[in-house]
Amino acid sequence: MAMGAPTTALFAALVVAPIGVTVHYSLNDVNFLRDEISWVGFSNYAKLWESGDFRHALYVTLLIAAASVVVPNALGLLFAVLLDAGSRLYTTLRIILFAPFVLSPLVVGLTFRWTLANDGSLNNALEALGIPGPEWISSPNLAVVSVGLALAWQLIAFATVIYVAALRAIPTDLYEAASIDGASGYLRFRLITWPLVAPAVTITTLISLISALKLYDHVVALTGGGPGRSSETVGLAIIRAGFTQNRAGLASAMAVLLLVITAATTVISLRVLRRREVEL
């Protein structure tokens, strides 16, 4: 008990206390510039319910989160299957593919901003093929897509490495037995690979989900939440309300709601995904 006390105290100081302070602020009207705080109860939460801007930010966040779970998992598993070999070439390719995940989100956002600009490299390449390049950043709908692409690019790198490790853990004699029985490549994937990579699916899904729900850096660097506020996420809305508009109480209410949504979706996803995990 005594040995765990420092860890418990550190957890309480770094996690529990900040959450408690945030909940307290969310129930008050806070003005740090004037050093004023007054109790308003659930008024901040009511304002969020009535706010079209917040509902849109929540919609954008959930949309990107859904896409960030599906796309990185699908492409990550595909790349892992293609790169599941032991030669130096494939090892080098896996290292190169993992590189985006270790980059700063701001760097990734700025890179995609330069790439997806109206006169960026992607539109120039499309125009060279005779295809008119769209306005990736200045179009409200495509701005959200651009943010999702930037995040997915990083998450695909992470998913690929996780799936490669999962594939390496599958006993080769299972595939050999299936081949002897005449199982096709599709059947080997469906009956052996897919069930046995279930723990990796759980990991990549949770990491992708949490990364998307707290998304902020990519949006700031890529679109700034624009055009207008069409690509604004809840994370950016929190920063805008708390630091730009000096509405710490409202920002805290957003943070509490985001925490609840993240915790709920994570727990539900974990329970659903754990059901299909198979012990090797």
Side-chain angles (χ1 to χ4, degrees):
M1 185 70 176
M3 294 181 63
T7 303
T8 303
L10 188 63
F11 178 80
L14 298 181
V15 179
V16 178
I19 292 176
V21 172
T22 303
V23 173
H24 171 67
Y25 282 159
S26 72
L27 301 174
N28 290 270
D29 183 14
V30 184
N31 189 319
F32 287 125
L33 295 179
R34 297 180 180 177
D35 195 21
E36 296 176 352
I37 181 171
S38 58
W39 176 265
V40 295
F42 291 95
S43 177
N44 287 323
Y45 293 95
K47 291 178 181 177
L48 293 181
W49 180 261
E50 298 169 356
S51 172
D53 289 336
F54 175 76
R55 291 199 302 270
H56 179 73
L58 182 59
Y59 166 75
V60 170
T61 302
L62 294 177
L63 181 63
I64 293 176
S68 297
V69 168
V70 175
V71 176
N73 271 293
L75 293 182
L77 182 55
L78 174 62
F79 290 150
V81 171
L82 296 176
L83 296 176
D84 185 27
S87 68
R88 291 184 178 180
L89 173 61
Y90 286 102
T91 301
T92 303
L93 289 176
R94 288 199 296 269
I95 294 174
I96 294 174
L97 194 60
F98 183 70
F101 186 72
V102 300
L103 295 177
S104 165
L106 287 174
V107 172
V108 173
L110 289 173
T111 301
F112 270 77
R113 183 180 181 87
W114 297 328
T115 303
L116 301 177
N118 291 339
D119 58 348
S121 57
L122 179 57
N123 278 355
N124 289 337
L126 291 175
E127 290 176 2
L129 297 174
I131 304 173
E135 297 180 346
W136 294 98
I137 300 176
S138 54
S139 170
N141 292 329
L142 289 180
V144 177
V145 174
S146 300
V147 172
L149 288 174
L151 177 62
W153 186 63
Q154 281 198 296
L155 294 177
I156 288 171
F158 171 77
T160 300
V161 174
I162 296 298
Y163 282 127
V164 167
L167 291 174
R168 290 298 181 87
I170 300 176
T172 56
D173 56 351
L174 294 178
Y175 291 111
E176 293 173 358
S179 298
I180 294 174
D181 291 338
S184 64
Y186 168 74
L187 283 178
R188 290 198 298 271
F189 176 83
R190 185 171 68 87
L191 299 178
I192 299 176
T193 305
W194 180 240
L196 295 182
V197 298
V201 174
T202 301
I203 294 172
T204 55
T205 298
L206 293 182
I207 294 297
S208 299
L209 188 62
I210 294 172
S211 299
L213 290 174
K214 67 181 183 65
L215 186 62
Y216 165 73
D217 312 67
H218 298 79
V219 185
V220 171
L222 182 52
T223 66
R229 302 178 75 167
S230 60
S231 62
E232 183 176 80
T233 60
V234 175
L236 180 56
I238 292 171
I239 299 299
R240 192 192 301 276
F243 294 95
T244 303
Q245 301 172 354
N246 190 31
R247 304 173 71 184
L250 192 66
S252 297
M254 293 184 196
V256 171
L257 285 178
L258 183 60
L259 176 62
V260 171
I261 292 172
T262 303
T265 53
T266 300
V267 170
I268 293 172
S269 300
L270 187 59
R271 288 185 176 180
V272 171
L273 294 170
R274 280 283 175 87
R275 291 176 184 173
R276 63 176 300 273
E277 289 188 9
V278 178
E279 294 281 342
L280 285 177

